[in-house]
């Protein structure tokens, strides 16, 4: 009598709700580490001079104090709670859904890119209000005292923007923000997944593997997304009444095409570690869930 062959165990997945929660928590934890770099990057993008990252950092500390490097942290955390929660949650959900529909076969690089674009665009739209508050809060210290907005925290910023400028201003620069997110996520999520698969043949599963894949992903993402990011930053910090077209044409006319990569070092030193930390935290949360549940 033939023995019944046991069915292979079904591959386990993290529930969809936790995919979103883990994505947001991972991004928020990474932001707590790299917020000073985000502030320096924003100041450099808004500056017309050719100062180095170290010069800008030194000026901020001497004029505003060391703790000012964490100005806008509340907005950065809200941005991660909205944008990163949405984009990583949607990406992982779409990724797993694809595998389920295709007999466990992971999507190829092209499909990963499409999934990244989709997830990033939705996440960026959701996160634009926090992005506007973040840009304004991190830029405030460079203005003369009488011109500063002096937002107390991200919630004060959002309520004042609604009261003083109207609710639609919370989505100022939404188009370049979504465009940037599409570029970032097409590069970041797809290259991370692809690099992870390549490195897996040489590096054991664990933090080292996640680190290697994240650094590759961060570099590609920085090169591809900087031009859209600086345009987004200028638009969201623009004076009242200045159109988006005026902001972009003024930037290109006065500072040249290469100004679109201004602040490359702080951008990469911010995006690289943030990418590394976000994916490491996310991978550890996923692993802990699968191990202990």
């Amino acid at each position: 009598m033939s023995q019944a062959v046991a069915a292979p165990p079904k591959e386990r997945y993290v529930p969809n709700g936790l995919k979103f929660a883990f994505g947001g928590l991972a991004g928020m934890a990474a932001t707590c580490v790299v917020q000073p770099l985000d502030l320096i990057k924003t100041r450099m993008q808004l500056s017309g001079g050719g100062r180095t990252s170290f010069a800008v950092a030194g000026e901020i500390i001497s004029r505003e104090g060391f703790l000012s490097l964490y100005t806008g942290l509340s907005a950065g955390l809200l941005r991660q709670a909205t944008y990163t929660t949405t984009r990583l949650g949607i990406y992982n959900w779409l990724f797993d859904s694809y595998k389920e529909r295709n007999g466990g076969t992971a999507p190829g690089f092209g499909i990963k890119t499409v999934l990244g674009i989709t997830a990033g665009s939705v996440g960026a739209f959701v996160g634009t209000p926090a992005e506007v508050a973040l840009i304004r809060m991190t830029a405030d210290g460079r203005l003369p005292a009488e011109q500063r907005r002096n937002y107390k925290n991200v919630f004060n910023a959002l309520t004042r923007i609604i009261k003083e400028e109207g609710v639609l201003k919370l989505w100022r620069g939404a188009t370049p923000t979504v465009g940037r997110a599409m570029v970032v996520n097409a590069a970041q999520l797809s290259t991370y997944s692809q690099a992870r698969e390549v490195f897996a043949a040489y590096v054991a599963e664990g933090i080292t593997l996640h680190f290697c894949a994240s650094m590759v992903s961060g570099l590609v993402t920085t090169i591809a997304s900087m031009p859209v990011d600086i345009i987004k930053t200028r638009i969201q910090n623009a004076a009242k009444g200045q159109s988006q077209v005026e902001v972009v044409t003024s930037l290109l006319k006065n500072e040249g095409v290469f100004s679109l990569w201004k602040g490359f070092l702080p951008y990469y030193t911010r995006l690289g570690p943030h990418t590394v930390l976000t994916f490491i935290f996310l991978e550890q949360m996923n692993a802990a869930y699968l191990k202990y549940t």
Side-chain angles (χ1 to χ4, degrees):
M1 189 168 105
S2 61
Q3 292 183 333
V5 178
K10 185 178 180 181
E11 185 176 357
R12 297 182 62 207
Y13 295 105
V14 176
N16 289 330
L18 283 180
K19 286 187 177 73
F20 286 81
F22 287 170
L25 288 172
M28 292 171 76
T31 291
C32 289
V33 178
V34 305
Q35 178 65 20
L37 297 170
D38 205 22
L39 184 139
I40 294 169
K41 181 265 298 183
T42 299
R43 295 287 181 91
M44 289 187 71
Q45 289 182 334
L46 294 172
S47 171
R51 295 175 300 164
T52 66
S53 307
F54 300 104
V56 172
E59 182 181 282
I60 292 171
I61 294 171
S62 63
R63 287 180 52 191
E64 305 168 45
F66 181 79
L67 292 180
S68 66
L69 291 173
Y70 280 88
T71 299
L73 178 60
S74 61
L77 293 175
L78 181 62
R79 179 179 180 273
Q80 296 301 320
T82 51
Y83 167 61
T84 302
T85 296
T86 304
R87 73 174 181 120
L88 290 182
I90 290 179
Y91 180 80
N92 288 324
W93 170 61
L94 291 173
F95 190 96
D96 289 343
S97 297
Y98 181 94
K99 287 180 68 176
E100 285 183 354
R101 291 195 305 269
N102 292 274
T105 302
F109 185 76
I111 298 297
K112 289 174 188 171
T113 302
V114 173
L115 300 185
I117 290 173
T118 302
S121 58
V122 176
F125 187 80
V126 172
T128 295
E131 183 90 25
V132 172
L134 176 62
I135 294 300
R136 292 186 175 192
M137 292 175 75
T138 53
D140 217 30
R142 63 185 288 273
L143 299 173
E146 66 276 7
Q147 295 181 21
R148 294 178 186 175
R149 297 179 173 101
N150 294 317
Y151 297 138
K152 297 176 182 177
N153 52 55
V154 65
F155 300 108
N156 176 248
L158 296 177
T159 54
R160 280 184 52 190
I161 291 170
I162 293 172
K163 182 178 179 181
E164 297 169 9
E165 304 173 49
V167 67
L168 292 181
K169 289 301 181 183
L170 292 177
W171 276 271
R172 180 176 178 85
T175 299
T177 298
V178 171
R180 170 191 175 275
M182 293 172 71
V183 174
V184 166
N185 288 276
Q188 188 184 64
L189 298 179
S190 59
T191 55
Y192 176 81
S193 298
Q194 197 70 21
R196 193 179 188 281
E197 291 178 12
V198 172
F199 282 119
Y202 309 98
V203 182
E205 175 67 35
I207 289 180
T208 302
L209 172 62
H210 308 156
F211 176 83
C212 293
S214 297
M215 289 305 292
V216 172
S217 175
L219 180 60
V220 174
T221 304
T222 298
I223 295 170
S225 66
M226 272 208 75
V228 189
D229 186 72
I230 194 169
I231 290 171
K232 172 197 71 68
T233 298
R234 293 293 181 94
I235 288 173
Q236 291 177 327
N237 191 60
K240 201 172 181 179
Q242 190 176 17
S243 72
Q244 297 186 19
V245 174
E246 289 173 334
V247 172
V248 176
T249 53
S250 175
L251 169 65
L252 296 176
K253 180 180 178 181
N254 297 328
E255 301 174 46
V257 174
F258 288 108
S259 66
L260 295 175
W261 281 272
K262 181 182 293 182
F264 183 90
L265 181 59
Y267 189 96
Y268 179 63
T269 53
R270 182 262 181 199
L271 183 62
H274 193 276
T275 302
V276 171
L277 292 170
T278 297
F279 282 118
I280 285 176
F281 288 139
L282 182 60
E283 296 271 16
Q284 297 307 305
M285 290 178 194
N286 288 335
Y289 172 83
L290 296 174
K291 180 178 180 180
Y292 296 110
T293 60

